[in-house]
Amino acid sequence: MNAPLLVLDRLSRRYEMEKRPLARLFGQSRPLFAVKEVSLEVPRGQITGLVGESGCGKSTLARLMLRLEEPTSGRVLLDGTDLTALHGAALKRERRRMQMVFQDAGGSLNPRKAARRLLGEALALAGAPAEALEDRAAALMRQVGLDPVLLGRYPHELSGGQKQRLAIARALAMEPRLLVADEPVSALDVSLQAQIMRLLMELRDSLGLTMLFISHDLALVHHLCAHVAVMSAGEIVERGHPREVLRAPQHPYTRRLLAAVPRGPRAASPSLEQAEP
Amino acid sequence: MALLEIDDLHVGFPAGGRMVEVVRGLTLRLDAGQALGLVGESGSGKSQTALAVMSLLRKPLRVTRGSIRLEGQELVGAPEATLRHFRGGAMSIVFQDAMAGLNPVFPIGTQLMDVLAAHRGLTGRAARAVAVEALEMVGIREPAARLGHYPHQFSGGMRQRVLIAMAIACRPKLLIADEPTTALDVTVQAQIVELLHELRQKLGLALLFITHNLDLMAEICDRAIVLYGGRMMEEAPIGPLFEAPLHPYGRALLDCVPRLADEPGALHPIEGAAPTPGRLGEACPFAPRCGLALPRCAEEAPPELAFGPRRAACWRLVP
């Protein structure tokens, strides 16, 4: 049981940047690695953070994991099964065990379907019997802190925080082993960020859910994650326990990220060292 | 006389035979060269206040009551010609979405020089020189070469710099920044905040900085007004606000930010959700989410009380 749930083994995704077909043919194209030789272990029942700026490759990495995009090389092992070797029905079945929530929850919820239907369809796909759908949907709503009376609402009738909760509920409907959360709170108001983060922690504790939390905000990672990997230009440049990485960042890129976190009033900002003796 | 004076501002729109108000009686002063933060969640009325100052409210939203004066000149109800003179001249605004502020089919130089022609009557070589200078001031390298580039050829952070260059090209006295960094990465966000700070000192700009992030605001502002449900909850200089907020909402807003300096996992969300405009009565809008609410809070609006340089509206503070 101590083996990591997910293992990325030297995963790469390369794009050919040369547009002229002849140059490509003669091997003169410049390859660009969106993700380069990334190896990462995601331990069970914990939240692992993946940090980096736009364009560093963190979202591409998530897409590779789910095989929404084909890796150029490397392996994705979910519970020991190599996803890169799977096709068709077997791939679909395995992929369902990983669910994703995005920054823009609204964009991932069909605006023409009420919450009841969004959850019902996911539950049915996961094999729930028709007569149990209503009860299961209500239970999911409660699990993410939404009142089941909201089941009749359409996405546009929900607030930003409620939409993100609904997106999480729909992901849970598939009974995933792994939840990939790609910047799930960065579009939310400050007062709601902490609400959603607390929800993720509760799900980790009550369901033992394993999560990969993708963010550019080191403060969020500090609160949620047991491990963190810092990504820059397609490569993982630093990894470890958030406390260690944040206290003594080794890579210049990590230092730059850390320095950019707003600290409140210039004079009065407490340093990390003071807070963690 | 302060540079910007807002008195009892109400902004609303008619719905179902009555007025739904999104800003409800805001009063503020901003002196030349000062930086004031307007802080609040979605629906607090902060962006509508900014748009009201710029006279850019979109119908059916409008100023229903109150006064907005820039250098003593009344803007509410002023003729469009007067407003056009001020807008982009003495005051300008930068929005969150930099792409939406730029026309994708014209090079940025053309757009910059349009502004200069409209407000300073500059054309040709003179306009070009000022445009180059403005781009240089916002830290865009090789500004002369960049004039011919289109918005899509710039990164998000660079586009925001271009917009700031357009905003300062006519040497405004007041710059309104409405969540200018929310769509940007943390490192770029830090650079833009640093840039605004620099420009403020170099040009003596007054800054009205609108955000939902108190920590970010504190890096640039001298003073903050905390808004909720269209009303002022609290106003204070940054230091005292962070040390000891007077209003329970100010406290809650400070505490809910996940910080690096806190114990991991120690999160203090504000439970519940921000109120919907139109469903707000006369009570304190924060009362339903407030852990310290008194019975009175749900019945009538608390008066605004002054405490030296600070103001707050909370029944708990009424002696």
Side-chain angles (χ1 to χ4, degrees):
Chain A
M1 265 319 271
N2 284 330
L5 176 67
L6 179 81
V7 176
L8 307 182
D9 179 21
R10 285 169 294 145
L11 202 59
S12 293
R13 170 70 215 194
R14 192 182 66 208
Y15 296 104
E16 302 301 331
M17 293 304 283
E18 186 56 67
K19 287 191 187 122
R20 291 173 300 165
L22 277 179
R24 276 178 93 146
L25 198 61
F26 292 111
Q28 292 177 351
S29 70
R30 283 176 303 130
L32 175 107
F33 282 92
V35 170
K36 191 175 181 187
E37 299 269 313
V38 166
S39 294
L40 182 69
E41 295 187 348
V42 178
R44 284 166 210 275
Q46 294 178 334
I47 306 180
T48 299
L50 184 62
V51 188
E53 291 170 284
S54 322
C56 76
K58 56 193 196 300
S59 293
T60 306
L61 187 65
R63 295 175 62 82
L64 291 174
M65 282 166 32
L66 290 144
R67 266 192 78 193
L68 294 171
E69 196 153 335
E70 291 298 318
T72 315
S73 63
R75 295 187 305 160
V76 179
L77 300 159
L78 180 67
D79 230 350
T81 309
D82 184 2
L83 295 185
T84 50
L86 297 180
H87 300 281
L91 173 63
K92 267 193 181 159
R93 196 180 56 238
E94 287 301 313
R95 188 152 59 189
R96 205 170 282 162
R97 296 160 68 187
M98 299 188 280
Q99 290 294 313
M100 205 162 168
V101 291
F102 299 93
Q103 175 174 347
D104 178 15
S108 70
L109 300 170
N110 187 331
R112 297 170 63 170
K113 293 180 183 174
R116 174 173 287 110
R117 211 167 135 204
L118 287 166
L119 293 181
E121 285 176 354
L123 285 164
L125 260 175
E131 64 277 8
L133 290 183
E134 181 70 22
D135 284 350
R136 297 280 297 277
L140 279 172
M141 292 288 273
R142 278 190 289 269
Q143 195 163 29
V144 298
L146 290 175
D147 189 327
V149 301
L150 298 177
L151 277 171
R153 298 268 183 98
Y154 287 85
H156 76 270
E157 297 171 306
L158 299 173
S159 71
Q162 289 172 332
K163 271 187 268 206
Q164 195 54 280
R165 286 177 192 269
L166 180 59
I168 293 170
R170 187 180 54 177
L172 295 180
M174 309 297 285
E175 295 179 357
R177 309 289 308 276
L178 175 73
L179 184 69
V180 179
D182 192 354
E183 303 266 13
V185 303
S186 33
L188 298 177
D189 263 324
V190 152
S191 74
L192 299 175
Q193 287 189 354
Q195 281 187 14
I196 297 294
M197 285 168 64
R198 186 174 274 180
L199 172 64
L200 294 178
M201 287 194 231
E202 281 165 12
L203 295 174
R204 174 196 61 195
D205 298 339
S206 62
L207 305 176
L209 191 61
T210 306
M211 280 180 241
L212 185 69
F213 181 82
I214 302 177
S215 178
H216 64 237
D217 190 336
L218 285 170
L220 302 183
V221 166
H222 161 71
H223 282 281
L224 274 184
C225 302
H227 311 272
V228 59
V230 182
M231 206 168 167
S232 172
E235 294 182 79
I236 290 183
V237 295
E238 185 157 1
R239 65 180 88 209
H241 190 280
R243 191 180 295 258
E244 302 309 321
V245 171
L246 297 177
R247 181 184 297 169
Q250 299 299 306
H251 198 275
Y253 175 72
T254 317
R255 274 182 227 141
R256 205 147 54 79
L257 269 184
L258 195 59
V261 177
R263 304 282 168 102
R266 277 164 196 252
S269 68
S271 75
L272 200 64
E273 286 73 20
Q274 283 171 339
E276 293 180 341
Chain B
M1 181 180 64
L3 174 69
L4 176 69
E5 299 168 304
I6 297 181
D7 281 303
D8 193 31
L9 178 69
H10 290 251
V11 174
F13 58 91
R18 65 196 187 94
M19 240 343 159
V20 173
E21 294 201 317
V22 293
V23 179
R24 307 188 293 154
L26 180 66
T27 296
L28 68 82
R29 295 284 180 276
L30 174 57
D31 286 325
Q34 266 196 348
L36 172 66
L38 274 188
V39 191
E41 300 172 66
S42 317
S44 62
K46 56 193 193 304
S47 289
Q48 307 312 331
T49 302
L51 292 174
V53 173
M54 293 297 291
S55 300
L56 287 173
L57 284 171
R58 253 190 230 147
K59 277 182 183 163
L61 274 171
R62 61 185 176 84
V63 174
T64 52
R65 193 171 4 138
S67 158
I68 302 171
R69 296 180 302 281
L70 188 69
E71 298 184 296
Q73 166 94 30
E74 180 63 53
L75 299 181
V76 176
E80 185 55 31
T82 312
L83 294 174
R84 213 174 293 143
H85 168 73
F86 278 111
R87 216 188 279 138
M91 60 181 182
S92 51
I93 187 163
V94 186
F95 296 102
Q96 176 178 339
D97 183 0
M99 197 61 195
L102 292 165
N103 189 328
V105 303
F106 291 108
I108 61 145
T110 312
Q111 304 185 50
L112 253 167
M113 286 187 271
D114 278 349
V115 178
L116 292 167
H119 288 282
R120 291 172 65 181
L122 294 173
T123 51
R125 214 171 284 165
R128 203 184 149 78
V130 176
V132 167
E133 189 196 359
L135 287 180
E136 205 160 31
M137 207 175 283
V138 298
I140 289 181
R141 262 177 266 164
E142 297 182 44
R146 292 294 250 167
L147 281 180
H149 288 192
Y150 290 83
H152 76 267
Q153 293 172 293
F154 292 83
S155 67
M158 282 297 153
R159 276 202 285 268
Q160 197 56 277
R161 283 173 194 266
V162 171
L163 270 195
I164 295 173
M166 284 173 73
I168 60 159
C170 295
R171 296 296 158 89
K173 299 199 167 92
L174 170 66
L175 179 65
I176 303 177
D178 187 0
E179 302 262 9
T181 65
T182 307
L184 303 172
D185 266 328
V186 268
T187 49
V188 184
Q189 167 175 295
Q191 290 163 12
I192 296 290
V193 165
E194 196 55 47
L195 172 67
L196 289 173
H197 195 69
E198 247 177 63
L199 289 174
R200 184 189 151 204
Q201 288 177 332
K202 222 184 276 177
L203 305 176
L205 281 174
L207 198 62
L208 190 60
F209 190 81
I210 292 165
T211 181
H212 68 128
N213 187 335
L214 267 170
D215 283 15
L216 187 67
M217 178 216 62
E219 298 210 328
I220 189 162
C221 297
D222 319 307
R223 202 156 48 92
I225 292 181
V226 179
L227 290 176
Y228 191 81
R231 290 222 175 107
M232 186 212 70
M233 299 284 106
E234 171 163 15
E235 171 176 5
I238 296 298
L241 178 67
F242 273 71
E243 271 158 40
L246 291 175
H247 198 285
Y249 180 62
R251 171 89 271 159
L253 200 57
L254 266 174
D255 287 347
C256 74
V257 181
R259 290 194 175 83
L260 280 170
D262 294 339
E263 267 304 299
L267 297 171
H268 312 279
I270 309 177
E271 301 302 341
T276 316
R279 302 223 182 116
L280 293 163
E282 268 314 297
C284 171
F286 189 56
R289 295 171 87 184
C290 183
L292 300 170
L294 307 164
R296 197 174 192 180
C297 301
E299 286 155 17
E300 35 176 342
E304 274 184 27
L305 300 173
F307 304 88
R310 310 175 68 167
R311 287 190 294 161
C314 176
W315 281 117
R316 287 251 168 214
L317 300 169
V318 176

